[in-house]
Amino acid sequence: MSTAQELVTRSNRLGADPKNTNYAGGNTSAKGTETDPVTGDPVELLWVKGSGGDLGTLTEGGLAVLRLDRMRALVDVYPGIDREDEMVAAFDYCLHGKGGAAPSIDTAMHGLVDAAHVDHLHPDSGIAIATAADGESLTKEIYGDKVVWVPWRRPGFQLGLDIAEIKAQNPKAIGCILGGHGITAWGDTSEKCEKNSLWIIRTAEKYIKANSKKLPFGARVKKYEPLSPAKRRARAAELAPTLRGVASADRPMVGHFTDDKVVLDFLASRNHPRLAELGTSCPDHFLRTKVKPMVLDLPADAPIEKVKARVAELHEAYRADYAGYYDRNKTKDSPAMRGADPLIVLVPGVGMFSYGANKQTARVAGEFYINAINVMRGAEGLSTYAPIDESEKFRIEYWALEEAKLRRMPMPKPLATRVALVTGAASGIGKATAEKLAAEGACVVIADLSLEKAQAAAAELGSTDVAVGVQVDVSDAGAVQAMVDAAVLAFGGVDLVVNNAGLSLSRSLLDTTEKDWDLQHDVMAKGSFLVSQATAKVMIDQGMGGDIVYISSKNSIFAGPNNVAYGAAKADQAHQVRLLAAELGEHGIKVNGVNPDGVVQGSGIFASGWGANRAAVYGVEEQDLGKFYAQRTILKREVLPSNIANAVFVLCTAELSHTTGLHIPVDAGVAAAFLR
């Protein structure tokens, strides 16, 4: 393998195990020689993981490639620690060829250390030693002269110089414990470097296991003991909309919930309030989780209204505390405060809610806080947890380089941060709508009578960070509530609902049975009511507004033959739009409808017999039904599921922020169905 390929292979192995480093945390490097394509002479190069990459999924394209001669020459122009941030821009002048990925702040550590291969990682066990009050003496006791303690220093050029000097002064050393931060290891070969990294990590794990106190977090507290799995998830679903509203006061957030045993055990302990207040230490942790979480201080089974009232009080206090943290530490050059809402909310007996600009970010924030809990357990088990000072956390959180990184992020898509729930979404209009909403940035819950089909449709959209499939019979209130609970536990809440589930039986008045009538009204009229009722409650609790869209029909207005039950149910849906628009407007919830006609392609309704019946009514072949419908329209165009999906999207964008109670015809023009 080439040097770059060897580095990627090592990185992927290290990054695949969460015990070694967290998602997108740490970096690796390798030095080697290649031929300069301009001069034909050999040139020493550094390959290092670029800014923002993840070791577990790293590819060669994610490596920054720099000339070592130019990199080392930066030492001679280094202006000192007060201006070390300028050195990041200087890395651009060291790039080889097209340079690959953008160099990260840790590039100096890798380039200046005199070793062919270097790993910098954030293992829980290593950070536990790094954040222990007596971490320096523990490092000596655990590792002897093989690993050297480095007092806390913010990542940057000076830290690279410090570690290079430590390597030079300690020939027996294979790596460092970086106070408050993580570990660094090196080796002459890639294999040796990886072996040294793993030895440091595993040695810390073994020492903690052998020497830790029995109850690192203190005795368990009865009132904070976990509820049963069913009860805690039910309570989580009750709380999720309120907590998402709390996390989204400054800007909308997507949520994630976990009741991992690590979290529940931490929250059931006596010392969890003290430790949570101390906050996280590793920069990768608090950049994702904020410096500390918001912690509910009531028993898990407290009355829900009392819990919600307490959440409001705690949120107000949290915002004031965060503003104080900002004001105490800001300088004249500090970026503006980015938001004072918590990204981690801990609920004893229930679990942890984490938040981010998308589902992946929210989920990873939760994973990072679990890392932080593991760190605290290790540090408290051996000593006392002592994270870096508040002022140092602020310097990194509001670092000009971090601000620049945030500004380089791409503009969010129109529906970013929005959680959409679409019923009848495994086929036809519903599936096309789910695809459109996901493509425009929404997280999507695909609900269908068939769980298998719902999950398959969700999988087509991407991972569970993008879409999940759930089963629902919309005519069953219990099933509807279970669907909504699944949605809020998956993504934190619901913002955009599409009432699309439907069916039809094409029969004359005399042939329509009471069962036919009830079935169609149960699914479309009653079903839409139940879904709107359950999701409107979530939206009201969130306090973030929202959209409810009904997929009604041209038949809600147009009177056609052999269609009494279907047409009447669609007319019911159409009037629900008007009624709910009038009622829910005070909560910022818009309610609109779409009236399709003749959507044959991909339609579950048409495939289940409706198409054959309608074709018989109109005297055409079933396979020609779409063309028939097109020819009777003003525009002479066949209506496709994507056309309805586009209408739903437009109704839910900022461009129609002042529109509610509207029905949009998507029928290619049927004069008899014009809205009057």
Side-chain angles (χ1 to χ4, degrees), residues 242-266:
T242 298
L243 295 180
R244 184 174 179 230
V246 161
S248 301
D250 285 323
R251 58 179 63 88
M253 292 283 176
V254 177
H256 175 74
F257 170 74
T258 180
D259 55 356
D260 189 287
K261 187 177 185 298
V262 171
V263 175
L264 295 173
D265 286 349
F266 173 65

Side-chain angles (χ1 to χ4, degrees), residues 50 81 159 168 183 199 225 374 440 466 562 578 586 596 642 647:
I81 193 167
L159 181 60
I183 73 165
W199 183 82
E225 287 287 353
N374 291 333
E440 298 295 346
V466 176
N562 299 335
R578 303 180 189 99
E586 66 176 291
S642 58

Side-chain angles (χ1 to χ4, degrees), residues 319-511:
R319 288 178 61 84
D321 182 72
Y322 187 84
Y325 155 79
Y326 179 85
D327 290 338
R328 284 190 302 274
N329 295 287
K330 70 179 180 181
T331 67
K332 61 182 177 62
D333 299 322
S334 296
M337 188 167 69
R338 299 191 192 101
D341 301 317
L343 294 179
I344 302 290
V345 180
L346 302 175
V347 182
V350 177
M352 173 173 61
F353 297 82
S354 54
Y355 298 93
N358 52 54
K359 171 65 177 187
Q360 184 198 46
T361 305
R363 174 178 53 78
V364 169
E367 292 172 0
F368 273 61
Y369 200 79
I370 288 176
N371 290 135
I373 292 173
N374 291 333
V375 166
M376 288 186 275
R377 182 193 298 106
E380 286 284 303
L382 298 178
S383 173
T384 301
Y385 175 61
I388 62 174
D389 291 341
E390 171 188 282
S391 60
E392 289 298 308
K393 293 179 184 179
F394 183 88
R395 287 181 67 206
I396 290 178
E397 185 178 0
Y398 285 92
W399 204 352
L401 297 177
E402 185 65 24
E403 184 72 9
K405 184 191 295 185
L406 293 173
R407 289 177 178 173
R408 288 197 301 269
M409 294 180 70
M411 285 290 292
K413 293 181 178 181
L415 298 183
T417 76
R418 303 202 74 188
V419 180
L421 189 159
V422 185
T423 64
S427 64
I429 292 172
K431 186 175 183 182
T433 300
E435 290 170 346
K436 176 66 176 179
L437 300 181
E440 298 295 346
C443 298
V444 181
V445 178
I446 291 182
D448 201 86
L449 192 58
S450 166
L451 177 61
E452 183 181 0
K453 291 179 180 178
Q455 291 177 334
E460 290 180 25
L461 296 182
S463 73
T464 53
D465 287 341
V466 176
V468 297
V470 300
Q471 185 175 28
V472 68
D473 175 354
V474 295
S475 68
D476 181 330
V480 169
Q481 188 59 54
M483 170 190 70
V484 175
D485 288 351
V488 301
L489 290 178
F491 297 118
V494 177
D495 307 296
L496 195 168
V497 176
V498 183
N499 277 311
N500 172 71
L503 77 163
S504 184
L505 303 171
S506 177
R507 290 178 184 150
S508 68
L509 171 64
L510 298 183
D511 290 334

Side-chain angles (χ1 to χ4, degrees), residues 19-44:
K19 288 184 178 181
N20 299 334
T21 200
N22 41 251
Y23 174 82
N27 28 69
T28 53
S29 68
K31 301 178 181 75
T33 302
E34 285 198 355
T35 301
D36 188 317
V38 176
T39 65
D41 296 329
V43 58
E44 283 189 280

Side-chain angles (χ1 to χ4, degrees), residues 130-319:
T131 56
D134 50 353
E136 183 172 5
S137 60
L138 281 171
T139 299
K140 185 68 175 175
E141 180 179 339
I142 296 168
Y143 299 109
D145 56 6
K146 291 188 69 175
V147 177
V148 181
W149 172 264
V150 180
W152 161 259
R153 184 181 291 282
R154 188 177 63 158
F157 201 84
Q158 186 62 52
L159 181 60
L161 288 171
D162 291 349
I163 296 177
E165 180 65 16
I166 284 171
K167 166 74 166 61
Q169 295 298 322
N170 295 271
K172 293 182 180 180
I174 63 168
C176 305
I177 296 290
L178 308 182
H181 186 168
I183 73 165
T184 296
W186 48 76
D188 294 334
T189 66
S190 184
E191 181 182 10
K192 186 65 174 177
C193 184
E194 182 177 358
K195 183 178 179 180
N196 288 342
S197 292
L198 295 177
W199 183 82
I200 294 173
I201 295 167
R202 304 297 179 251
T203 300
E205 289 174 355
K206 291 174 184 176
Y207 186 88
I208 292 169
K209 185 176 181 180
N211 295 278
S212 181
K213 301 168 190 170
K214 184 177 180 181
L215 296 172
F217 295 143
R220 294 178 76 91
V221 180
K222 186 175 180 180
K223 70 176 181 178
Y224 293 147
E225 287 287 353
L227 299 173
S228 69
K231 286 183 178 180
R232 66 177 177 257
R233 292 184 76 80
R235 174 50 62 98
E238 280 185 300
L239 272 176
T242 298
L243 295 180
R244 184 174 179 230
V246 161
S248 301
D250 285 323
R251 58 179 63 88
M253 292 283 176
V254 177
H256 175 74
F257 170 74
T258 180
D259 55 356
D260 189 287
K261 187 177 185 298
V262 171
V263 175
L264 295 173
D265 286 349
F266 173 65
L267 294 177
S269 72
R270 181 182 63 207
N271 294 335
H272 84 259
R274 171 180 66 84
L275 293 167
E277 182 65 21
L278 288 173
T280 53
S281 185
C282 176
D284 266 25
H285 292 181
F286 60 75
L287 285 174
R288 301 271 189 163
T289 66
K290 262 198 168 77
V291 289
K292 60 185 175 182
M294 188 176 100
V295 186
L296 185 63
D297 54 3
L298 292 176
D301 57 356
I304 189 64
E305 292 309 318
K306 181 179 180 180
V307 172
K308 289 181 178 180
R310 183 59 178 150
V311 164
E313 295 171 351
L314 290 170
H315 183 215
E316 183 178 356
Y318 186 96
R319 288 178 61 84

